[in-house]
């Protein structure tokens, strides 16, 4: 699997149109696989995981039919999965969340300017939240074995490996590419958006980091350590900080939960792995610091190329949030309508930059209903966690969702899908004889 996806990265680098052929083949193959298996072992979730991980890779290489194909495919696979296996009766809060989104569409039909393509505006702003809602419906209280869950994570990781390989082929020597200042670097991001590349490489680094603790095999651990170094490197050299900080918080959250759930003997072994992990991260940072002649340090201490402290650590995001909160202030009940926040910002601040913060966008475009949606998304998982603390990834996945939507909105499917993964009820079949008997009965 690993070598195959490295080859995929090279094939797309060598012949860019290959990305579209690959996408059609993968979509068709997964669709057939899920239908033939009737989603008996959560094949739909695995297919959705793969497409969530592959979205940026195919999008940056022109493989997508529509810009939002990644989100559409995640929604499609999960809907097929729900057709075969249904959903939990406890998913009512997420049905409410989905219904909350659509009054804003009605408001937008009256408020959007005539020259705006209504379908595109709605799809761009609602495909992410709807993807999150569908992911939550599928995963909430969904019982899944540890083996199946690990397969889901593998499906999520593999296309990120292909993306990483492509980046190395695209920019094998990044010395000159990194000497253009301290702004987000497109040359080191495969010619694509540094924010999204930082996000996906950060997630990839986090996933292989967790495998160092959950998989007890020296050979695999060595491979994962190499992958961790390579992915961390590509995330950092984008000079986009959001994905890197998010990955760091996620890793710390996972390690904390995993550590406290181990016995004292296992904890002592984990400390050695933590030390090795810290050494790898520090070494990677040191290499990049030398390559950039200290520019990466300036970037992360909010300085420009001359070493002068920047005034705005948010790189303009604070102003975007302020204008969206103004939209909520002026239209607190129904909001300004889906897609209207961008136009409202143009009227208020003279810029049409799309939102980078999903929380302020929900408030601005949906009003009080948006506030209810935010409260559902935050408190329902927390209540779930107080009852079932069997998912080591819960805090990390929830942190990935929340931090990502606050620096990159929901431009990609990953935060929506990962939010759903936090809601899975993971069963250890070795400790649950009833569950093992049910699996054998299949």
């Amino acid at each position: 699997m690993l070598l195959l996806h490295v080859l995929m990265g090279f094939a797309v680098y060598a012949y860019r149109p290959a990305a579209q052929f690959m996408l059609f083949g993968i979509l068709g193959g997964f669709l057939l696989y899920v239908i033939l298996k009737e989603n008996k072992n959560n094949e739909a979730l695995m297919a959705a995981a793969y497409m969530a991980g592959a979205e940026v890779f195919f999008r940056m290489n022109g493989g997508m039919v529509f810009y939002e194909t990644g989100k559409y495919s995640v929604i499609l696979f999960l809907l097929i999965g729900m057709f075969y296996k249904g959903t939990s009766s406890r998913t009512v809060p997420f049905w409410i969340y989905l219904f909350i989104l659509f009054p804003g569409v009605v408001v937008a039909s009256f408020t959007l300017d005539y020259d705006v393509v209504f379908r595109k505006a709605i799809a761009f702003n609602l495909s992410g939240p709807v993807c999150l809602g569908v992911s939550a419906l599928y995963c909430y209280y969904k019982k899944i074995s540890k083996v199946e869950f690990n397969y889901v994570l593998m499906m999520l990781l593999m296309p990120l490996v292909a993306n990483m390989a492509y980046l190395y082929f695209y920019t094998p020597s990044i010395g000159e590419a990194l000497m253009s200042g301290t702004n987000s670097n497109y040359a080191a991001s495969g010619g694509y958006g540094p924010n999204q590349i930082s996000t996906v490489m950060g997630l990839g680094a986090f996933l292989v980091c967790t495998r160092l603790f959950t998989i007890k095999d020296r050979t695999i651990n060595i491979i994962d350590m190499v992958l961790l170094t390579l992915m961390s490197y590509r995330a950092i050299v984008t000079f986009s900080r959001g994905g890197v900080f998010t990955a760091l918080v996620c890793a710390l959250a996972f390690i904390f939960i995993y550590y406290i759930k181990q016995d004292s003997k296992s904890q002592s072994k984990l400390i050695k792995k933590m030390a090795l992990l810290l050494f790898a991260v520090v070494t990677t940072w040191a290499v990049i610091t030398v390559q950039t002649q200290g520019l990466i340090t300036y970037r992360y201490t909010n300085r420009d190329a001359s070493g002068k402290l920047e005034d705005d650590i948010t790189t303009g995001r604070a102003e975007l949030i302020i204008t969206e909160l103004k939209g909520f202030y002026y239209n607190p009940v129904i909001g300004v309508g889906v897609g209207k926040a961008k136009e409202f910002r143009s009227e208020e601040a003279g810029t049409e930059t799309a939102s980078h913060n999903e929380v302020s966008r929900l408030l601005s475009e949906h009003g009080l209903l948006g506030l209810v949606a935010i409260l559902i998304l935050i408190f329902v998982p927390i209540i779930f966690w107080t009852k079932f603390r069997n998912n080591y990834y819960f805090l990390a996945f929830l942190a990935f969702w929340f931090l990502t939507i606050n620096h990159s909105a929901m431009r990609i499917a990953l935060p929506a899908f990962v939010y759903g993964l936090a809601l899975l009820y993971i069963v250890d079949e070795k400790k649950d004889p009833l569950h093992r008997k049910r699996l054998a009965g299949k």
Side-chain angles (χ1 to χ4, degrees), residues 4-15 22 57 162 165-166 169:
L4 174 64
H5 284 82
V6 171
L7 289 174
M8 283 175 59
F10 176 75
V12 173
Y13 164 73
Y15 183 64
M22 285 183 187
F57 176 59
Y166 174 83
F169 288 125

Side-chain angles (χ1 to χ4, degrees), residues 68-224:
E68 305 294 351
T69 299
K71 295 173 190 171
Y72 295 155
S73 59
V74 170
I75 293 171
L76 174 64
F77 284 126
L78 294 180
L79 287 176
I80 293 173
M82 285 188 280
F83 172 78
Y84 285 113
K85 298 191 75 169
T87 62
S88 168
S89 59
R90 298 180 176 92
T91 55
V92 173
F94 294 110
W95 284 111
I96 295 173
Y97 161 78
L98 283 172
F99 284 123
I100 280 174
L101 299 175
F102 290 98
V105 178
V106 178
V107 175
S109 66
F110 296 102
T111 60
L112 283 175
D113 289 346
Y114 289 110
D115 59 344
V116 174
V117 180
F118 185 77
R119 180 191 64 80
K120 288 184 178 181
I122 300 303
F124 180 79
N125 289 283
L126 274 193
S127 56
V130 170
C131 184
L132 185 149
V134 173
S135 297
L137 287 177
Y138 183 95
C139 295
Y140 193 48
Y141 273 88
K142 173 75 70 179
K143 285 189 176 182
I144 183 172
S145 71
K146 279 190 174 181
V147 173
E148 290 173 0
F149 181 70
N150 287 332
Y151 276 125
V152 171
L153 296 186
M154 179 69 76
M155 289 297 103
L156 184 59
L157 176 62
M158 283 300 106
L160 300 179
V161 171
N163 203 334
M164 178 203 72
Y166 174 83
L167 291 172
Y168 277 103
F169 288 125
Y170 186 94
T171 322
S173 177
I174 60 175
E176 293 182 4
L178 296 180
M179 301 306 295
S180 58
T182 59
N183 293 327
S184 295
N185 196 302
Y186 284 82
S189 305
Y192 194 65
N195 199 3
Q196 293 186 24
I197 296 299
S198 173
T199 298
V200 297
M201 288 298 100
L203 178 64
F206 161 69
L207 290 177
V208 292
C209 170
T210 64
R211 287 166 55 86
L212 294 172
F213 296 93
T214 59
I215 297 177
K216 296 175 174 62
D217 184 294
R218 181 168 294 183
T219 302
I220 293 177
N221 287 162
I222 292 172
I223 294 172
D224 285 332

Side-chain angles (χ1 to χ4, degrees), residues 290-342:
V290 172
Q291 286 187 329
T292 62
Q293 297 181 19
L295 288 179
I296 193 65
T297 304
Y298 283 165
R299 175 62 170 172
Y300 278 80
T301 54
N302 198 43
R303 299 175 184 275
D304 61 20
S306 64
K308 181 181 178 182
L309 192 66
E310 298 275 8
D311 295 328
D312 182 13
I313 195 172
T314 68
T315 57
R317 286 177 173 83
E319 184 179 355
L320 301 181
I321 294 173
I322 290 171
T323 57
E324 287 175 336
L325 292 180
K326 283 183 180 179
F328 175 65
Y329 178 78
Y330 295 138
N331 304 271
V333 180
I334 60 174
V336 298
V338 176
K340 182 64 177 177
K342 186 176 180 180

Side-chain angles (χ1 to χ4, degrees), residues 54-74:
E55 180 182 23
V56 172
F57 176 59
F58 287 119
R59 184 186 282 178
M60 69 189 293
N61 288 295
M64 296 295 193
V65 180
F66 305 106
Y67 187 78
E68 305 294 351
T69 299
K71 295 173 190 171
Y72 295 155
S73 59
V74 170

